[in-house]
Amino acid sequence: MITRLSTLFLRTLREDPADAEVASHRLLVRAGYIRRAAPGIYSWLPLGYRVLRNIEKIIREEMDAIGSQEVHFPALLPREPYEATGRWTEYGDNLFRLKDRKQADYLLGPTHEEMFTLLVKDIVSSYKSLPLSLYQIQTKYRDEARPRAGILRGREFVMKDSYSFDLDDAGLQAAYDRHREAYIRIFDRLGLRYVIVAAMSGAMGGSESEEFLADAEVGEDTYVRCTTCDYAANVEAVAVPTDAPVDASAVPPAHVEDTPDTPTIETLVAALNERFPRTDRPWAARDTLKNVLVLLRHPGGSVEPLAIGVPGDREIDPKRLEAQVAPAEVEPFTEEHFAANPSLIKGYIGPEVLGAYRAGAIRYLLDPHVAEGSAWVTGADEPGRHVIDLVAGRDFTADGTIQAAEVRDGDPCPVCGNPLRTARGIEMGHIFQLGRKYADALGLQVLDENGKLVTVTMGSYGVGVSRAVAAVAENSHDDRGLIWPRELAPADVHVVIAGKGEEITEVAELISGGLDRTGVRVFLDDRNASVGVKFTDAELLGVPTICVVGRGVAGGVVEVRDRASGSKREVPIAEITERLLEIVRAG
Ligand code: ATP
Ligand code: MG
């Protein structure tokens, strides 16, 4: 197919869109691939839509290859199935809800576990129909709190979601493994640099789950990788081992001291070193216990305060905390709640007023770095006073532990103890072993070999299809524009008419026609624009091979440029179709 830029529905922009913070967003808008319709909601223009469909094609091929069958559900869904699994409430504000003219509740599907479970229940009644795997490529809706970076985090987005149905755990494991392999092939074909990491299953429920994260500084996910063994995990899923108990027999009884004007860890450590110097070493933030208060808003609206004790040298990681308390949402502790809990003295909160085992007190969870027997400096629950030598287990206890503190570069690997490295990525795919949660809630059972009813076990597997367009752009661009891998590109060869004369146009038409007849997808820049504009746009649009037909024509040559490397060479016109075909076929 020849796409003539003179008639293509395209307008490239020289200026970055004002709201674009990341390169993929800037370039996709400037190159005329997508256009914002509303916050987190984008329209696909011809070139963007081609790339999207090329990605869909790769996904379809790989899903078909593992025997998954394509179906297509509505996006507009009834409330009842989501009510039955609790997700109508659990999804909270992320769910787009609407009513029909009869005031019945509907939602725009954020993910389709319920619908697939019910469809299979409708049609399948015997073990003979299993194993079964179904998928769809569908528009999803989530009213994200922070839509971001164009189509990277949209409120409307395209997802491939698939679901496996098996009789037993071994079947589920096999389906999961097949999906994992298919995902590896998909992300390899997308040309992404990615890692596979252990993940939390979040709102889905279920147990084993892994994410495919594309390497990207702008990614919203932080993951860790062990510098020695093959452990890799999203920080949300890192289980920091509890520090081993320490012997507290030599620690003197706890004593309360005046520490005026020390509401922060920094001021406290300075005051300790000045007024209560240690003999062995200076006090450090690591010696202090900071008690952080938050509010949990549970699905349905009830609000519960929560206190978390962490060593003073660590912050709470909001994403780790959210993952631990989901489906509850985390909100800041307000002045109003301080007023309602007069025993809490801001900046001087100690463990002795915390712990749900005390009537009316706030639930208190400790970071696993707070070992049994370890001694701390912490708030004395009086303004300007701290307690020293307060020993965990001896002088205070908590209601449990929580994995909510930040995981840092250099922290020990939970598997082998060697240092971890942190990096950032974009979540591209997520595979889960759901187990029987949805089948139980919705009554999906089949008759087994012995005629006994058994509950089916399920897996759920997602790929961010529209997000992949942005992730590939993020992974592969330079300051002049996009650089598409050939399989994803909106065309194979971008022919530029770089000069006025009739001969130049004729040669360009001839080359384009020759390529087109062999099935190569061609852009022909036949616009009445300057050569400079055409070159700038060719680099912005990101087609992998550029063929410049210009002054060289008089001497019988045209120029072939490789978009990724920038390398250029002259090729005799007589050979050009053949040379370009070689390049295209080499991939
Ligand atoms: P995230 O943690 O990024 O919000 P998620 O864990 O909620 O994603 P899943 O429910 O696992 O997402 O959805 C499967 C896939 O759909 C994700 O791996 C991601 O690639 C894609 N996806 C999820 N939310 C969005 C979104 N708002 N915009 C674009 N793609 C998304
Ligand atoms: Mg996910």
Side-chain angles (χ1 to χ4, degrees), residues 142 199-201 204 211 427 429-432:
R142 295 181 186 177
M200 290 283 285
S201 25
M204 299 293 171
E211 284 168 351
E427 182 186 323
H430 199 165
I431 52 180
F432 298 96

Side-chain angles (χ1 to χ4, degrees), residues 142 144 151-154 157 159 204 211 221 427-430 432 462-464 466-467:
R142 295 181 186 177
E144 299 274 359
I151 51 173
L152 218 42
R153 179 173 299 283
F157 59 97
M159 195 203 289
M204 299 293 171
E211 284 168 351
D221 285 271
E427 182 186 323
M428 297 309 309
H430 199 165
F432 298 96
V463 171
S466 49
R467 177 177 283 184

